[in-house]
Amino acid sequence: MSDCLFCKIEKGDIPAEKVYDGDSVFAISDINPQAPVHLLIIPKKHYSTILELDEKDQELVGSVFSAANCLAKDYGLDQSGFRVVVNCGAEAGQSVFHVHYHLLGGRAMHWPPG
Ligand code: AMP
Ligand code: ZN
């Protein structure tokens, strides 16, 4: 998708701090962090929302959680705890329509989220 922010970041057309680079997913630091650690785990292939993901994407989703667990350990969150969140659609607060998983940690989280 030529006009997609995360596709542009994946291609290197827009700079971002890449903290993980795998075969099918990469991760960056969120530009507007909501916790001491706030990373975005992003499939390299463009999907607008998680509504486009299904059984055919099992390997991709597995890779997302491999990245999440690897990053949680790297950032020292695996013992204290962390949260992985996906927003789907406008009412959930999705603002970038290229699937991404937020990984948040480093502070106590509240439930339910706002
Ligand atoms: P969402 O609202 O769930 O779609 O999440 C989009 C996230 O992307 C927000 O947390 C933004 O702060 C973040 N974001 C937007 N632009 C950039 C950028 N250029 N680099 C890193 N993160 C970004
Ligand atoms: Zn995209």
Side-chain angles (χ1 to χ4, degrees), residues 1 4 6-7 46 98:
M1 292 279 285
C4 168
F6 289 166
C7 284
H46 182 93
H98 177 133

Side-chain angles (χ1 to χ4, degrees), residues 5-6 9 14 16 28-32 38 40 87 93-96 100 102:
L5 173 64
F6 289 166
I9 288 176
I14 291 179
I28 59 174
S29 296
D30 197 290
I31 203 169
N32 182 24
H38 186 173
L40 301 174
N87 297 321
Q94 185 175 4
S95 60
V96 178
H100 51 282
H102 296 256

Side-chain angles (χ1 to χ4, degrees), residues 13 27-28 35 44 68-69 80 84 87 89 91 95 100-101 106-107:
D13 293 346
I28 59 174
K44 292 186 175 180
N69 293 342
S80 53
V84 176
N87 297 321
E91 270 202 11
S95 60
H100 51 282
Y101 294 67
R107 66 166 170 81

Side-chain angles (χ1 to χ4, degrees), residues 25-28 39-43 64 67-68 71 99-103:
V25 304
F26 68 104
I28 59 174
L39 309 175
L40 301 174
I41 301 163
I42 307 172
V64 167
L71 287 162
V99 164
H100 51 282
Y101 294 67
H102 296 256
L103 191 164

